[in-house]
Amino acid sequence: MEWSWPESVLSNGERVKEELMQGRELAGQLCRVFDDHKSTLVSGGFGGGDGGSAEDLVDKILGSFANTLLILNGKESDGEIVSGDQIQGISSGGSGDSSSWDANHTAPVIKSEDFYEESCKSTSTFKDRRGSYKRRKTSHSWTRDTPTLTDDGHGWRKYGQKRILNSKHSRNYYRCTHKFEQSCKATKYVQQIQDHQPMFRTTYHGNHTCRDYLKASELVLDCTSPRESSKFIRFGDTKQDHPFFSSFTSVRKEELVFMEESIIKEEIPPTSDDRVMTSHDSHSWLYEYLVSPDLTTLESSAPPDGFSSNLYEFDHEDVISRLMMGSFDLDEVLQYI
DNA sequence: GGGATTTGACCTCG
DNA sequence: CGAGGTCAAATCCC
């Protein structure tokens, strides 16, 4: 697999590095805040730390990541780099195939009021009219191609199926299980885009504003070691949900093992398309990140038996995608700069 | 019985 | 006007 960073990325490499380094530092601070204020955190209270309140830190961290993505997308020159305070409501930006932001979404920074405008408009006015809704025009969406229907960690309920023009396969529409109880606006639709080698394209819209209690209760934000904790953050669990990251849920080791077993049972033939992160690869990848004790030496940690070494050769879109998923290795990202 | 899925109707927007 | 997105009654399934 061969690829190269866009020129804008290379020229902004230092900025990217800077932003990511800041993000890591802030994440470390945040964990110390959590450590210091575990009891108050449970009751919903956020306390201050040596670098500011947890909320501020979250903002700053998310801001760093968002800025990084903007730089990667060459948006810095447009003056769209934002501070942590501005980051609330950022949804997407970028482009790509296997895991990408909506290409027609040209403005990656939007205000939170814009982001929630859709729900405000669509809820009451036409609620009693069947099939009525506020159709998304410039929706904040991103796609993901997988050879199998993988579990992204969220609960989804199918609410529709539609035959699409010029497409053999119908499109299945899903909404968040907690749409009504928690007013979660996240939706997605899944469509098979290949026949010979089954490939499913999942398009996500909106962010999860819900908390999946079943899964969240199983997750432990272990910040005993800042070193470890900084590499695996579940953004969806922060008090302040973030459109950038909260659509994905981190996956525990046990869940990954279960997922691996599921994949094995399905006996899905491997794909030759190395641009697409297969579910098997992604699971293994996540597993590696969870079990790898060393944040800084991913390259040196040998892949498990049976895994190709080129598992770690991915394009920058995968990096972006995994940034979105809230779990990534900083140094792995930096090696491409 | 309650939650999930199916499916045709309905609505919006390009 | 038609494609795409959503609703909700009917049905299925545990």
Side-chain angles (χ1 to χ4, degrees), chain A residues 232-247:
Chain A
F232 199 76
I233 303 168
R234 183 169 185 228
F235 290 90
D237 260 356
T238 58
K239 184 182 174 214
Q240 175 191 359
D241 286 296
H242 196 280
F244 231 97
F245 301 103
S246 63
S247 293

Side-chain angles (χ1 to χ4, degrees), chain A residues 169-232:
Chain A
H169 308 279
S170 55
R171 181 180 290 178
N172 294 323
Y173 296 86
Y174 300 87
R175 62 163 173 82
C176 178
T177 307
H178 309 294
K179 179 182 179 179
F180 300 115
E181 54 197 88
Q182 295 181 49
S183 301
C184 182
K185 304 198 313 302
T187 62
K188 70 173 182 181
Y189 60 75
V190 181
Q191 188 170 10
Q192 188 172 345
I193 56 175
Q194 279 183 22
D195 259 341
H196 51 288
Q197 274 189 344
M199 185 64 66
F200 299 91
R201 173 160 295 172
T202 305
T203 303
Y204 295 88
H205 292 277
N207 62 307
H208 281 277
T209 55
C210 66
R211 287 178 63 113
D212 192 332
Y213 293 113
L214 276 178
K215 302 207 173 186
S217 64
E218 297 173 349
L219 290 163
V220 178
L221 187 61
D222 187 356
C223 294
T224 52
S225 163
R227 210 173 138 77
E228 291 229 359
S229 58
S230 65
K231 68 174 167 179
F232 199 76

Side-chain angles (χ1 to χ4, degrees), chain A residues 43-54:
Chain A
S43 60
F46 274 70
D50 43 32
S53 73

Side-chain angles (χ1 to χ4, degrees), chain A residues 48-66:
Chain A
D50 43 32
S53 73
E55 231 169 344
D56 287 343
L57 285 170
V58 170
D59 281 349
K60 288 175 183 173
I61 292 166
L62 295 176
S64 282
F65 292 153

